[in-house]
Amino acid sequence: MTERITKSMAKNIYYGGGMFALLIFFGLTFDTVKQIPERSNEIAMSHSVVAGKALWEKNNCVGCHTILGEGAYYAPELGNVFQRRGASDESTFKGYMLGWMAAQPLNTPDRRKMPQFNLNEEEVNALSDFFIWTSKVDTNEWPPTIEG
Ligand code: HEC
């Protein structure tokens, strides 16, 4: 006798399989959301970090740069600029940032230019704090190279 799948068996497979996949989906979503506060290190999100993020948006830095991969591909990735240009030392990096922002635009021939934003010291330091905070987000080691 050949075995056949009856309509009700097919229905059970459909609903049972669907429920099973949904449960896995919700479980993994819950697990991811639960990890966010620790991975993003949100406890270190000071007023200065928030102010830096606001300046990042107001000046449309993302119109040329990427940050953790999001943004435009005209200029370098800045998610790890703290390690790249500050050797992971806060005062070295803040000094570098003040110099870099003040020196724009560098008129080096055949090199892309970054505009002058005329930001004051406090604003540049806030941007530095934002980059320092971003560099400490647990991104599973992304970006893969120090050059972005
Ligand atoms: C019009 C495009 C443009 C905008 C907008 C822009 N940048 Fe840039 N930025 C560049 C370019 C191009 C470079 C690379 C210049 C070079 O290497 O000579 C650069 C480089 C940098 C670097 C050095 C990165 C490195 O690895 O050496 C920092 C830091 C930086 N930008 C910060 C900012 C911040 C902060 C803002 C917003 C306030 C901003 N940029 C907005 C084009 C831009």
Side-chain angles (χ1 to χ4, degrees), residues 55-56 59-61 64-65 74-78 81 84-85 96-97 100-101 106 111-115 117 119 127 131:
L55 284 162
W56 168 263
N59 292 285
N60 193 26
C61 311
C64 289
H65 289 275
Y74 180 73
E77 159 70 42
L78 296 180
V81 70
R84 184 164 61 244
R85 302 295 176 220
Y96 159 80
M97 277 294 289
W100 177 265
M101 296 305 285
L106 299 176
R111 230 181 138 99
R112 293 174 182 178
K113 283 179 193 43
M114 175 164 143
F117 289 95
L119 301 175
L127 278 165
F131 292 140

Short mmCIF file of all heavy atoms in Angstrom, two decimals, residues 55-56 59-61 64-65 74-78 81 84-85 96-97 100-101 106 111-115 117 119 127 131, ligand 1:
data_model
loop_
_atom_site.label_atom_id
_atom_site.label_comp_id
_atom_site.label_asym_id
_atom_site.label_seq_id
_atom_site.Cartn_x
_atom_site.Cartn_y
_atom_site.Cartn_z
N LEU A 55 26.72 66.93 15.67
CA LEU A 55 27.57 67.70 14.73
C LEU A 55 27.86 66.89 13.47
O LEU A 55 27.92 67.43 12.37
CB LEU A 55 28.89 68.07 15.41
CG LEU A 55 28.81 69.20 16.43
CD1 LEU A 55 30.02 69.18 17.34
CD2 LEU A 55 28.69 70.54 15.71
N TRP A 56 28.04 65.60 13.66
CA TRP A 56 28.27 64.69 12.54
C TRP A 56 27.10 64.80 11.56
O TRP A 56 27.27 64.86 10.35
CB TRP A 56 28.42 63.27 13.10
CG TRP A 56 28.39 62.16 12.11
CD1 TRP A 56 27.31 61.38 11.77
CD2 TRP A 56 29.48 61.67 11.31
NE1 TRP A 56 27.66 60.46 10.84
CE2 TRP A 56 28.99 60.61 10.54
CE3 TRP A 56 30.82 62.04 11.19
CZ2 TRP A 56 29.79 59.90 9.64
CZ3 TRP A 56 31.63 61.33 10.30
CH2 TRP A 56 31.12 60.28 9.54
N ASN A 59 26.60 68.62 9.98
CA ASN A 59 27.58 68.99 8.95
C ASN A 59 27.67 67.99 7.81
O ASN A 59 28.53 68.11 6.94
CB ASN A 59 28.96 69.16 9.60
CG ASN A 59 28.99 70.35 10.52
OD1 ASN A 59 29.03 71.49 10.07
ND2 ASN A 59 28.93 70.11 11.82
N ASN A 60 26.78 67.01 7.86
CA ASN A 60 26.71 66.00 6.80
C ASN A 60 28.07 65.35 6.49
O ASN A 60 28.43 65.16 5.32
CB ASN A 60 26.11 66.62 5.52
CG ASN A 60 25.73 65.55 4.52
OD1 ASN A 60 25.44 64.41 4.89
ND2 ASN A 60 25.74 65.89 3.23
N CYS A 61 28.80 65.01 7.52
CA CYS A 61 30.06 64.27 7.33
C CYS A 61 29.78 62.95 6.59
O CYS A 61 30.61 62.49 5.81
CB CYS A 61 30.70 63.95 8.67
SG CYS A 61 30.83 65.33 9.82
N CYS A 64 30.16 62.23 2.72
CA CYS A 64 31.42 61.83 2.09
C CYS A 64 32.00 60.58 2.74
O CYS A 64 32.62 59.76 2.08
CB CYS A 64 32.46 62.94 2.20
SG CYS A 64 32.10 64.38 1.18
N HIS A 65 31.84 60.47 4.07
CA HIS A 65 32.48 59.39 4.84
C HIS A 65 31.49 58.27 5.14
O HIS A 65 30.28 58.50 5.18
CB HIS A 65 32.93 59.92 6.22
CG HIS A 65 34.11 60.85 6.14
ND1 HIS A 65 35.40 60.40 6.09
CD2 HIS A 65 34.18 62.20 6.10
CE1 HIS A 65 36.22 61.44 6.05
NE2 HIS A 65 35.51 62.55 6.05
N TYR A 74 33.17 58.30 -0.60
CA TYR A 74 34.08 59.29 -1.18
C TYR A 74 35.34 59.44 -0.33
O TYR A 74 36.43 59.65 -0.85
CB TYR A 74 33.34 60.63 -1.28
CG TYR A 74 34.15 61.75 -1.86
CD1 TYR A 74 34.45 61.78 -3.23
CD2 TYR A 74 34.63 62.78 -1.06
CE1 TYR A 74 35.20 62.81 -3.77
CE2 TYR A 74 35.39 63.81 -1.60
CZ TYR A 74 35.67 63.82 -2.95
OH TYR A 74 36.41 64.83 -3.48
N ALA A 75 35.16 59.36 0.99
CA ALA A 75 36.25 59.64 1.93
C ALA A 75 36.40 58.47 2.90
O ALA A 75 35.53 57.60 2.97
CB ALA A 75 35.95 60.94 2.66
N PRO A 76 37.50 58.44 3.68
CA PRO A 76 37.77 57.25 4.51
C PRO A 76 36.69 56.89 5.54
O PRO A 76 35.98 57.77 6.04
CB PRO A 76 39.07 57.62 5.23
CG PRO A 76 39.68 58.72 4.45
CD PRO A 76 38.55 59.45 3.80
N GLU A 77 36.64 55.61 5.85
CA GLU A 77 35.79 55.09 6.95
C GLU A 77 36.30 55.69 8.26
O GLU A 77 37.51 55.73 8.50
CB GLU A 77 35.93 53.55 6.96
CG GLU A 77 35.57 52.85 8.27
CD GLU A 77 34.08 52.87 8.59
OE1 GLU A 77 33.27 52.66 7.69
OE2 GLU A 77 33.76 53.10 9.77
N LEU A 78 35.37 56.17 9.10
CA LEU A 78 35.82 56.83 10.34
C LEU A 78 35.50 56.03 11.61
O LEU A 78 35.79 56.49 12.71
CB LEU A 78 35.24 58.24 10.43
CG LEU A 78 35.74 59.20 9.31
CD1 LEU A 78 35.13 60.59 9.47
CD2 LEU A 78 37.25 59.31 9.28
N VAL A 81 38.92 55.46 12.97
CA VAL A 81 39.92 56.52 12.81
C VAL A 81 40.67 56.77 14.13
O VAL A 81 41.83 57.21 14.12
CB VAL A 81 39.26 57.82 12.25
CG1 VAL A 81 38.35 58.49 13.24
CG2 VAL A 81 40.32 58.81 11.76
N ARG A 84 43.47 54.37 13.99
CA ARG A 84 44.35 54.67 12.85
C ARG A 84 45.20 55.92 13.10
O ARG A 84 46.38 55.93 12.84
CB ARG A 84 43.49 54.83 11.59
CG ARG A 84 44.27 55.05 10.33
CD ARG A 84 43.41 54.83 9.10
NE ARG A 84 42.28 55.72 9.00
CZ ARG A 84 41.00 55.34 9.03
NH1 ARG A 84 40.70 54.07 9.17
NH2 ARG A 84 40.03 56.22 8.92
N ARG A 85 44.55 56.99 13.56
CA ARG A 85 45.26 58.26 13.69
C ARG A 85 45.58 58.65 15.13
O ARG A 85 46.27 59.64 15.35
CB ARG A 85 44.45 59.39 13.04
CG ARG A 85 44.13 59.18 11.59
CD ARG A 85 45.36 59.16 10.71
NE ARG A 85 44.99 58.85 9.34
CZ ARG A 85 45.68 58.07 8.52
NH1 ARG A 85 46.79 57.50 8.94
NH2 ARG A 85 45.26 57.85 7.30
N TYR A 96 45.31 65.23 17.24
CA TYR A 96 45.29 65.00 15.79
C TYR A 96 44.04 65.64 15.17
O TYR A 96 44.12 66.32 14.14
CB TYR A 96 45.32 63.48 15.50
CG TYR A 96 44.79 63.16 14.13
CD1 TYR A 96 45.60 63.32 13.00
CD2 TYR A 96 43.47 62.73 13.95
CE1 TYR A 96 45.09 63.06 11.73
CE2 TYR A 96 42.97 62.48 12.70
CZ TYR A 96 43.78 62.64 11.58
OH TYR A 96 43.28 62.39 10.33
N MET A 97 42.88 65.42 15.80
CA MET A 97 41.61 65.93 15.26
C MET A 97 41.60 67.46 15.17
O MET A 97 41.14 68.03 14.19
CB MET A 97 40.43 65.46 16.13
CG MET A 97 39.94 64.08 15.81
SD MET A 97 39.19 63.93 14.18
CE MET A 97 37.66 64.84 14.43
N TRP A 100 43.80 68.34 12.28
CA TRP A 100 43.23 67.93 11.00
C TRP A 100 42.07 68.86 10.59
O TRP A 100 42.02 69.35 9.45
CB TRP A 100 42.73 66.48 11.07
CG TRP A 100 42.07 66.04 9.80
CD1 TRP A 100 40.73 66.06 9.54
CD2 TRP A 100 42.70 65.56 8.61
NE1 TRP A 100 40.49 65.63 8.25
CE2 TRP A 100 41.69 65.32 7.67
CE3 TRP A 100 44.03 65.32 8.25
CZ2 TRP A 100 41.94 64.84 6.38
CZ3 TRP A 100 44.29 64.84 6.97
CH2 TRP A 100 43.26 64.61 6.05
N MET A 101 41.16 69.12 11.52
CA MET A 101 39.98 69.93 11.18
C MET A 101 40.40 71.37 10.86
O MET A 101 39.80 72.00 10.00
CB MET A 101 38.96 69.92 12.33
CG MET A 101 38.35 68.57 12.64
SD MET A 101 37.58 67.71 11.26
CE MET A 101 36.05 68.61 11.08
N LEU A 106 43.22 70.73 2.66
CA LEU A 106 44.62 70.54 2.27
C LEU A 106 44.65 70.65 0.75
O LEU A 106 43.92 69.93 0.08
CB LEU A 106 45.11 69.14 2.66
CG LEU A 106 45.09 68.76 4.14
CD1 LEU A 106 45.51 67.30 4.28
CD2 LEU A 106 46.02 69.66 4.94
N ARG A 111 44.52 64.99 -4.91
CA ARG A 111 43.97 64.33 -3.73
C ARG A 111 42.59 64.90 -3.49
O ARG A 111 42.38 66.09 -3.71
CB ARG A 111 44.86 64.65 -2.54
CG ARG A 111 45.26 63.42 -1.77
CD ARG A 111 46.10 63.81 -0.60
NE ARG A 111 45.68 63.03 0.55
CZ ARG A 111 46.30 61.94 0.96
NH1 ARG A 111 47.36 61.51 0.31
NH2 ARG A 111 45.89 61.28 2.01
N ARG A 112 41.66 64.07 -3.06
CA ARG A 112 40.31 64.58 -2.77
C ARG A 112 40.38 65.56 -1.62
O ARG A 112 41.18 65.37 -0.71
CB ARG A 112 39.40 63.41 -2.40
CG ARG A 112 39.16 62.50 -3.55
CD ARG A 112 38.38 61.30 -3.10
NE ARG A 112 38.19 60.39 -4.22
CZ ARG A 112 37.58 59.23 -4.14
NH1 ARG A 112 37.08 58.84 -2.98
NH2 ARG A 112 37.43 58.48 -5.18
N LYS A 113 39.48 66.54 -1.64
CA LYS A 113 39.54 67.58 -0.60
C LYS A 113 38.40 67.45 0.39
O LYS A 113 37.31 67.04 0.04
CB LYS A 113 39.47 68.96 -1.26
CG LYS A 113 40.78 69.35 -1.89
CD LYS A 113 40.67 70.70 -2.55
CE LYS A 113 41.86 70.97 -3.45
NZ LYS A 113 42.27 69.85 -4.29
N MET A 114 38.72 67.83 1.63
CA MET A 114 37.68 67.91 2.65
C MET A 114 37.45 69.39 2.95
O MET A 114 38.41 70.14 3.05
CB MET A 114 38.16 67.16 3.90
CG MET A 114 37.20 67.30 5.04
SD MET A 114 37.51 66.10 6.32
CE MET A 114 37.15 67.10 7.73
N PRO A 115 36.19 69.84 3.09
CA PRO A 115 35.94 71.27 3.32
C PRO A 115 36.39 71.73 4.71
O PRO A 115 36.61 70.91 5.60
CB PRO A 115 34.41 71.39 3.21
CG PRO A 115 33.90 70.07 2.79
CD PRO A 115 34.95 69.06 3.01
N PHE A 117 35.16 73.37 8.08
CA PHE A 117 33.86 73.50 8.74
C PHE A 117 33.82 74.60 9.79
O PHE A 117 32.76 74.88 10.36
CB PHE A 117 33.47 72.16 9.39
CG PHE A 117 33.11 71.10 8.38
CD1 PHE A 117 34.06 70.20 7.94
CD2 PHE A 117 31.84 71.04 7.84
CE1 PHE A 117 33.75 69.24 6.99
CE2 PHE A 117 31.51 70.08 6.89
CZ PHE A 117 32.47 69.19 6.47
N LEU A 119 34.78 74.73 12.91
CA LEU A 119 34.24 74.29 14.22
C LEU A 119 35.20 74.76 15.32
O LEU A 119 36.41 74.86 15.09
CB LEU A 119 34.13 72.77 14.25
CG LEU A 119 33.24 72.16 13.17
CD1 LEU A 119 33.29 70.63 13.23
CD2 LEU A 119 31.80 72.64 13.31
N LEU A 127 33.29 65.79 18.48
CA LEU A 127 33.41 64.85 17.36
C LEU A 127 34.41 63.75 17.70
O LEU A 127 34.17 62.57 17.42
CB LEU A 127 33.85 65.58 16.09
CG LEU A 127 32.72 66.28 15.32
CD1 LEU A 127 33.29 67.28 14.31
CD2 LEU A 127 31.82 65.27 14.60
N PHE A 131 33.84 59.71 17.85
CA PHE A 131 34.64 58.70 17.13
C PHE A 131 35.25 57.69 18.11
O PHE A 131 35.34 56.50 17.79
CB PHE A 131 35.75 59.35 16.31
CG PHE A 131 35.25 60.15 15.14
CD1 PHE A 131 35.84 61.37 14.79
CD2 PHE A 131 34.20 59.70 14.36
CE1 PHE A 131 35.39 62.12 13.72
CE2 PHE A 131 33.73 60.44 13.28
CZ PHE A 131 34.33 61.66 12.96
C1 HEC B 1 33.03 66.92 0.85
C2 HEC B 1 33.42 65.65 1.42
C3 HEC B 1 33.75 65.58 2.90
C4 HEC B 1 32.97 65.94 3.98
C5 HEC B 1 31.56 66.54 3.95
C6 HEC B 1 33.72 65.60 5.16
N1 HEC B 1 34.92 65.04 4.82
FE1 HEC B 1 36.33 64.33 6.11
N2 HEC B 1 37.50 63.79 4.55
C7 HEC B 1 37.19 64.00 3.21
C8 HEC B 1 38.29 63.50 2.39
C9 HEC B 1 38.33 63.52 0.86
C10 HEC B 1 39.27 63.01 3.27
C11 HEC B 1 40.64 62.41 2.93
C12 HEC B 1 41.57 63.55 2.65
C13 HEC B 1 43.01 63.17 2.50
O1 HEC B 1 43.38 62.04 2.87
O2 HEC B 1 43.78 64.02 2.05
C14 HEC B 1 38.74 63.21 4.62
C15 HEC B 1 39.41 62.82 5.78
C16 HEC B 1 38.91 62.97 7.07
C17 HEC B 1 39.59 62.55 8.27
C18 HEC B 1 40.94 61.83 8.32
C19 HEC B 1 40.71 60.37 8.06
C20 HEC B 1 41.97 59.58 7.95
O3 HEC B 1 41.90 58.35 8.05
O4 HEC B 1 43.05 60.17 7.77
C21 HEC B 1 38.78 62.88 9.33
C22 HEC B 1 39.04 62.62 10.80
C23 HEC B 1 37.60 63.52 8.78
N3 HEC B 1 37.73 63.55 7.40
C24 HEC B 1 36.56 63.99 9.54
C25 HEC B 1 35.43 64.60 9.01
C26 HEC B 1 34.35 65.16 9.81
C27 HEC B 1 34.31 65.13 11.31
C28 HEC B 1 33.44 65.68 8.94
C29 HEC B 1 32.17 66.42 9.25
C30 HEC B 1 32.31 67.56 10.16
C31 HEC B 1 33.93 65.45 7.59
N4 HEC B 1 35.14 64.80 7.68
C32 HEC B 1 33.27 65.81 6.44
C33 HEC B 1 36.03 64.53 2.70
C34 HEC B 1 34.98 65.01 3.44
#
